[in-house]
Amino acid sequence: MEEKSRKDHRALLNPGEENELEVFGYETQNLRRVLCLLISVLTCGVLLLVFYWKPQWRVWATCIPCPLQEADTILLRTTDEFQRYMRKKVICLDLSTLKFPISKNPEEPLLADRHSIINQAVLKPELKLRYIQVQKIRYVWDNVEKRFQKVGLLEDSNSCYDIHHTFGLGLTSEDQEVRRLVCGPNAIEVEIQPIWKLLVKQVLNPFYVFQAFTLTLWLSQGYIEYATAIIILSVISIVLTVYDLRQQSVKLHKLVEDHNKVQVTISVKGQGKSSLPCDAVLIDGSCVVNEGMLTGESIPVTKTPLPHTENTTSWKSHSLEDYRKHVLFCGTEVIQVKPTGQGPVRAVVLQTGYNTAKGDLVRSILYPRPLNFKLYSDAFKFIVCLAFLGVMGFFYALGVYMYHGVSSRDTVTMALLLLTVTVPPVLPAALTTGIVYAQKRLKRKNIFCISPQRINMCGQINLVCFDKTGTLTEDGLDLWGTVPAADSCFQEVHSFSSGKALPWSPLCAAMASCHSLILLNGTIQGDPLDLKMFESTFWIMEDCNEDHCKFGISASNIIIKPGPKASQSPVEAITIVRQFPFSSSLQRMSVVAQLAGEDHFHVYMKGAPEMLARFCSSETVPKNFAQELRNYTVQGFRVIALAHKALKMGKFSEVESLTREKVESELTFLGLLIMENRLKKETKPVLKELSEARIRTVMITGDNLQTAITVARNSKMIPQGSQVILVEANEPEESVPASVTWQLVENQECEPGKNETYINIGNSSVPDGERGSCYHFAMSGKSYQVIFQHFNSLLPKILVNGTIFARMSPGQKSSLIEEFQKLNYYVGMCGDGANDCGALKMAHAGISLSEQEASVASPFTSKTANIECVPHLIKEGRAALVSSFGVFKYLTMYGIIQFIGTSLLYWQLQLFGNYQYLMQDVAITLMVCLTMSSTHAYPKLAPYRPAGQLLSPPLLLSVLLNTCFTCIVQVCAFLYVKQQPWYCEVYRYSECFLDNHSNFSTNESLERNWTGSATLIPGSVLSFESTTLWPITTINCITAAFIFSKGKPFRKPIYTNYIFSFLLVSALGLTVFILFSDFQDVYSGMEFIPTKTSWRVSVLVAAFTHFCVAFFAEDAILQNRKLWLWIKKELGIYSKSSYRNWQKKLAEDPTWPPTNRTDYSGDGKNGFYINQGYESSEQIPREKLELGGQTTEQHFWTRL
């Protein structure tokens, strides 16, 4: 019973989705609420502040757990590694307020749609419904399923039949009213955040609360100037942040404002642009839309109606991955509508408001996924350590002041002051400056960023995936020629370079009609590849007119006619009647067309040759098809196949009811279209630069595998002399288990004068001397899928040397990047933003090559359409990461230096003076922190990455050694000054000091005017100790700033950062000037006592010695990479990265890589596989058996 209660108390929201959440039910207890309110009053609101930071504590304090069905408060927790909490109130809707009567009979459904969740959510006879609103989405309590479910969308369980017959004629007015009340309005509203609300959010940040506490202490102690300076800086920082957030809020509001102004009207016109106000599934007619807002590619996309089928399967399942071809997405622009018959184009609303594609996009901006980068978690641990040091100082100060019998009030105040010294107030501003500078530098290079926190992450990238077409190669393709097929044989090649028009044939008809081009305001628009193919036929496009519109064909259909330059044709015109659009997952498209003068229809199809051959009658496919295809693909050509068949039907209505499966079958193979896909001139040098920097490059493309291998060889992604192993996997069949075949691809250079590379699959094997990183695996998306499902333990072994992944669908691209991340690679992805959206979002750093300033598809967008942006981004990422580390180390040391100096003075109940602190904090630390990160990135990529962890041995040792050095220098100076013959405890013996001040003054006027105002008040400033320690601590701070600003290999030398260098030199000059000056105004203002010149020289020598030792330790030891590599080797410390471990294991495995053999899956458990052809069960090495059962280690920070 207790277990059932616990189960009812907890459930999952959006299970399996990216925004999955755990929900817990709670019931509010009034007694607990009153008690919490009382404590809040007694603590002056501190408890309310804690509840604001920790909403789960508020729920646990005021509520008791209960089943979700009875809950009035819901606690939500993210299921990612961050485990963030949210608190939501359950809202109750009363449907009895509607103007029309509703049946209270539980047996009668409320809505006509039997699949609707609303029917299950409404309690009868009460007519009430419970819901919560989470991140703009409404979830209602489902009384049948006993969980919260989304509303505002058409249920996926509806079949094509349901959509056509239940919703085809629209909803009744009653249904509309119920849905409007339950689902809310179809609005994507982003309220402009009020300034006061943004201000409160910033001020209540834990760091600013701590800062307010610190400033209150300083002001109470009379540190007015310093406290005022920090207050001014904090106010500027808060105002700038609030202004930035307000601007973002206004921009986003304007972006979505137009959505809420769209008036929905029925339009029968074929022209005119309009924006879609919701997601809808097309049920009648077709549309041409521009989805540039979603994909970043402004290419017209044709949408076709949902087929009329009688089956009961879900409409999405019916269309498999390709359901998007029927969906009109919210925010996209309808360019053209094509009605069928006399009725208008009709669509059924799928999703409204924030449930739509545009709403989802806006939500991803409003609620971005937090980044779990090691730097940020380490930074938090570091701050905790500094705070702990402050707590130790607090108790030390308490002990000292209590021992001297100082009043309790003064004791607590001074102890709290020491507590605040260790955590520098400029920490947040300083850590973000590096990213801000990097972002500005990237903007100058036309690289725009919508997620600045990812810039630091770019510094850790060690693997970059590239799309091929439009990324590595030119976007536009040049037509090379056609290879017609007839009588199961390939005919003579027709070359386009000859200038002759393509002769009339079914192949010419296919090229003229099988495309998704549209005529808009007299201009042909569409996919560049389709456009190139169509233009090569010299045919022209027109809108349908009365002469050609027969058999009930709509006037919106497109007519293709021979142009003046086209070859003579017996056909006057071709009318495109119906389209089955191209999709990446299907790798094909087809059209139904009618030739003028004929009473029947024709099917034309184009697509990937391997895919298209499956749909053709085998007797029409030439026997040497595979060989001919390979001859062109190995030369780097892009190859498309075309096919045709005549339909034995004369009625247009029959064509309308045809399914894609029926159309795309038993076709006649027509031939191949050969296109040149040239490498961009920037591709080779960039890939070479990345290779020299030891950054892995991988190609993920939707193109042919052989073409991809050739492009990889020509671009030197696969270096000369390296072996390529083709991995081909097959699904299990009746009696044969799933298999993987490994074939070695031989690279044979042709005649010396030519650059082409021919690939021959032979029987050779990888020479023993060339095992290691000299081999590269290449596979298709189909093989990847089989290996992923049936040989999972084999996948990491392939990925550590996998370089080419061809014929990959968008889903497979995302999956592959996720698998690379599981191996602890930091993955960058560069693509053109069209079918790479998922992969660009999945990668640690996705770079979209788009003309738009900020493509929503990826964190980074380059307006320069080549891959030069990749090394630029990595360089800036490395510079920003190193800068963040340097600033953090500096601020840590600055806190420790001040802490040690202040602690020493506390020993005799003293402090540094107000202006002494001001000089260190404002003139040095603040200025240094704001300019230290502005050093530019080093122009050449180093062959290794900067450290990715703050808690690494070199960094911790750096802080520890520098702490020791400064501690030794300060303690020695503190003790040694007391041994001087002229020393006097000023605050104890003020008379002695006044009598003897002539001994250490070198200036007579200063001697005459010195007042000697020191008293016995605790916390007094004037002393020889503070006069000695201040220049030492100040120069220590300058030393730390200098040695932590290392230039090469990730940043330019320090002297190239002119402002920073000038500030350091100025700070040092000012400190030396104050140390050696004998001006009364300077000394009285800084609260110093003049000392002998010899002592001042000694202080300077001590500070200089400290600089030399610290610089040598940092540069020669801690930053000595060779030394650390040797230490690691001697101690047997190796990288914990999963991919490194696999590389090490595979390098020691004599059976790897496999060549020219076939492996079969075993019993399917643990992804274990055996090589039946070559090994008996007894011969399988023990290590292989152990490896077979291993799962890939996955660090929590690799999943973003």
Side-chain angles (χ1 to χ4, degrees), residues 859-934:
F860 299 96
T861 306
S862 171
K863 286 179 83 173
T864 310
N866 61 58
I867 63 170
E868 280 183 332
C869 57
V870 175
H872 285 321
L873 188 60
I874 295 172
K875 285 171 197 169
E876 290 298 347
R878 288 181 173 186
L881 185 61
V882 169
S883 294
S884 294
F885 276 51
V887 168
F888 207 94
K889 281 163 69 176
Y890 170 73
L891 285 174
T892 304
M893 277 314 303
Y894 154 73
I896 290 170
I897 289 165
Q898 274 203 346
F899 177 78
I900 293 168
T902 309
S903 299
L904 288 170
L905 291 177
Y906 264 40
W907 188 253
Q908 52 196 35
L909 311 185
Q910 283 195 306
L911 277 171
F912 284 120
N914 200 358
Y915 286 102
Q916 293 171 18
Y917 274 127
L918 201 65
M919 170 80 177
Q920 285 181 352
D921 292 330
V922 179
I924 299 174
T925 299
L926 186 68
M927 295 299 126
V928 159
C929 285
L930 297 180
T931 56
M932 187 191 265
S933 305
S934 63

Side-chain angles (χ1 to χ4, degrees), residues 925-1176:
T925 299
L926 186 68
M927 295 299 126
V928 159
C929 285
L930 297 180
T931 56
M932 187 191 265
S933 305
S934 63
T935 310
H936 285 232
Y938 197 70
K940 190 177 186 299
L941 275 173
Y944 52 90
R945 297 176 296 161
Q949 298 179 38
L950 270 173
L951 303 178
S952 60
L955 194 137
L956 289 174
L957 202 57
S958 173
V959 171
L960 193 66
L961 285 178
N962 278 289
T963 301
C964 291
F965 298 153
T966 192
C967 190
I968 290 165
V969 171
Q970 288 191 52
V971 170
C972 288
F974 181 77
L975 295 174
Y976 192 49
V977 73
K978 292 176 183 290
Q979 310 302 319
Q980 300 310 306
W982 40 259
Y983 172 76
C984 158
E985 288 186 344
V986 178
Y987 69 98
R988 282 179 183 271
Y989 310 109
S990 53
E991 292 297 324
C992 168
F993 164 67
L994 290 169
D995 290 341
N996 294 293
H997 69 279
S998 57
N999 290 339
F1000 45 77
S1001 175
T1002 56
N1003 186 308
E1004 287 185 17
S1005 63
L1006 185 65
E1007 182 184 331
R1008 284 194 301 273
N1009 294 313
W1010 197 263
T1011 57
S1013 59
T1015 65
L1016 272 164
I1017 300 167
S1020 64
V1021 173
L1022 213 59
S1023 72
F1024 286 109
E1025 287 85 355
S1026 65
T1027 304
T1028 301
L1029 285 177
W1030 183 83
I1032 287 175
T1033 54
T1034 307
I1035 295 172
N1036 279 5
C1037 288
I1038 297 167
T1039 298
F1042 180 81
I1043 65 171
F1044 293 151
S1045 299
K1046 187 175 167 61
K1048 199 176 172 182
F1050 304 115
R1051 293 189 295 176
K1052 284 185 177 179
I1054 188 172
Y1055 57 79
T1056 60
N1057 186 347
Y1058 305 119
I1059 300 172
F1060 176 67
S1061 303
F1062 171 76
L1063 284 170
L1064 274 191
V1065 172
S1066 301
L1068 183 62
L1070 188 59
T1071 308
V1072 173
F1073 167 75
I1074 291 169
L1075 177 63
F1076 284 98
S1077 73
D1078 277 329
F1079 300 112
Q1080 182 192 345
D1081 291 342
V1082 172
Y1083 265 68
S1084 60
M1086 290 296 291
E1087 297 179 85
F1088 285 155
I1089 301 171
T1091 56
K1092 288 196 170 184
T1093 307
S1094 57
W1095 178 248
R1096 301 180 205 188
V1097 171
S1098 304
V1099 167
L1100 191 63
V1101 168
F1104 180 71
T1105 307
H1106 169 259
F1107 166 78
C1108 293
V1109 173
F1111 181 76
F1112 175 80
E1114 188 72 22
D1115 206 56
I1117 300 170
L1118 300 168
Q1119 296 290 332
N1120 188 334
R1121 190 166 180 271
K1122 289 179 181 177
L1123 175 66
W1124 283 101
L1125 288 174
W1126 177 79
I1127 291 169
K1128 281 184 177 180
K1129 190 180 176 183
E1130 289 298 309
L1131 296 175
I1133 299 168
Y1134 298 100
S1135 171
K1136 290 179 182 177
S1137 296
S1138 193
Y1139 74 91
R1140 290 271 192 210
N1141 294 335
W1142 278 111
Q1143 285 172 342
K1144 191 166 172 285
K1145 285 175 188 172
L1146 296 175
E1148 294 165 359
D1149 186 352
T1151 64
W1152 193 267
T1155 50
N1156 306 313
R1157 77 179 201 205
T1158 302
D1159 295 334
Y1160 296 88
S1161 63
D1163 55 7
K1165 291 175 185 175
N1166 298 324
F1168 173 65
Y1169 68 94
I1170 56 171
N1171 179 5
Q1172 292 181 341
Y1174 294 85
E1175 298 171 349
S1176 67

Side-chain angles (χ1 to χ4, degrees), residues 848-868:
S848 171
L849 305 181
S850 166
E851 287 185 11
Q852 295 179 8
E853 199 165 290
S855 167
V856 291
S858 63
F860 299 96
T861 306
S862 171
K863 286 179 83 173
T864 310
N866 61 58
I867 63 170
E868 280 183 332

